[in-house]
Amino acid sequence: MSNLNLAQRLARPELLDLEPYQSARRIGGRGDIWINANESPFNRTELARLNRYPECQPPELIAAYSKYSNVPAANIVCGRGADEAIELLIRAFCIPGRDSIAIFGPTYGMYSISAKTFNVGVNALNLSEDYQLPSDISGVKGCKLVFICNPNNPTGTVLSVERIEQVLQQLPDQLVVVDEAYIEFCPENSVAKLLESYPNLVILRTLSKAFALAGARCGFLMASTDIIDIIMLVIAPYPVPLPVSTLAVQALSDDGITNMLADVALLKAQGQRLAATLTDLGAKVVPSGANFLLVYFDDIAKISNGLKDAGIVARAYRDPRLVDAIRFSFTNERETDQIITVLQQLLA
Ligand code: PMP
């Protein structure tokens, strides 16, 4: 047992003997006549090679994300959104009916839903009043995976790199999963630079938010190669469709990144305008590092109904910590003007 690495010690033990599915693409080969994968020889589309299965981990996509994130390609896995990465972690590391994950709420709902669909326990801990990690995190004891969402959805609040590093130091025998789905809106808070120092760190990323590709379904998991090796045992044979990796590589090109940065700046400016208006109108706006604002209102029913009547679809919650709040995603200038006008009428 003693020469197992951290990822192997934490993995579901039966996986260590599992031979992963050997897809035709993984086995590969040399030659001109490819009849090893029951594919059609006819490409009926304008996309090259769409009749063929894609690579499990398209090398151009991994290289593009590596260049963008400054994380070595060997430490990156891509899949169908950050949601798939959450599921892969739970499937790879948590024994159903026995293991648990820890979360700090209110937070993104899929950690607990994914765990529950695999009969994995959820240790639901609370963030502090101001949505920071509690000073005492001993409640996560025994949990294989500790999820930390930064910036946090739905509060938008941000944890410092120093605080996350303390957690990594305190929990050397658990995996600390930092969900950076919204990190492009506050890149200085990324813990990507800690990956080489902490074998217990996992980072989740996505192209669904700042990169404006939610419909493409493309996300990334970044971690030590030991953790990546375990994830590769449970990943689907072809998780990323070819048209998706083509679009994703474009989004991660120099031009794509320039566009993304311009969008982020524009959205943040609109968000600041919305926050300033709501604060002036007396609502309680939670400071946000993401592309949305959580706002508490005295008369939540009036605001919800008023937004609905105006055709504005914002997000309300049943969680008792959030029943008086609405989450507003940032949008373009024209729609922000409309939202501000409606809120000014409702809060006048
Ligand atoms: N993490 C967080 C915090 C999110 O808010 C979301 C999307 N709502 C996801 C992960 C999932 O992102 P993806 O679209 O990449 O599956």
Side-chain angles (χ1 to χ4, degrees), residues 25 39 49 52-58 237-242 245:
R25 202 54 75 241
E39 298 155 335
R49 292 186 60 79
R52 302 290 178 187
Y53 283 106
E55 300 280 350
C56 176
Q57 293 291 295
Y238 311 107
V240 183
L242 184 67
S245 59

Side-chain angles (χ1 to χ4, degrees), residues 222-236:
M222 310 198 290
S224 73
T225 52
D226 291 343
I227 293 173
I228 304 275
D229 286 346
I230 301 288
I231 292 295
M232 291 307 291
L233 296 172
V234 296
I235 200 165

Side-chain angles (χ1 to χ4, degrees), residues 68 161 182-191 193 205 261 264 268 289:
Y68 161 67
V161 172
Y182 298 95
I183 204 67
E184 281 79 12
F185 295 91
C186 59
E188 64 285 2
N189 293 90
S190 174
V191 289
K193 51 190 166 298
R205 294 280 189 89
L261 293 172
V264 165
K268 280 168 73 166

Side-chain angles (χ1 to χ4, degrees), residues 81-83 108 149 153 179 181-182 206 208-209 217:
D83 280 341
Y108 182 48
C149 190
N153 181 8
D179 182 343
Y182 298 95
T206 181
S208 296
K209 311 296 179 183
R217 312 304 301 128

Side-chain angles (χ1 to χ4, degrees), residues 5 11 65 68 76 81 141 153 183 247 251 253 256 285 296 303-304 306 317:
N5 63 45
Y65 205 76
Y68 161 67
I76 302 176
K141 195 160 185 269
N153 181 8
I183 204 67
L247 287 169
S253 67
V285 176
Y296 287 85
I303 305 295
S304 304
Y317 295 90

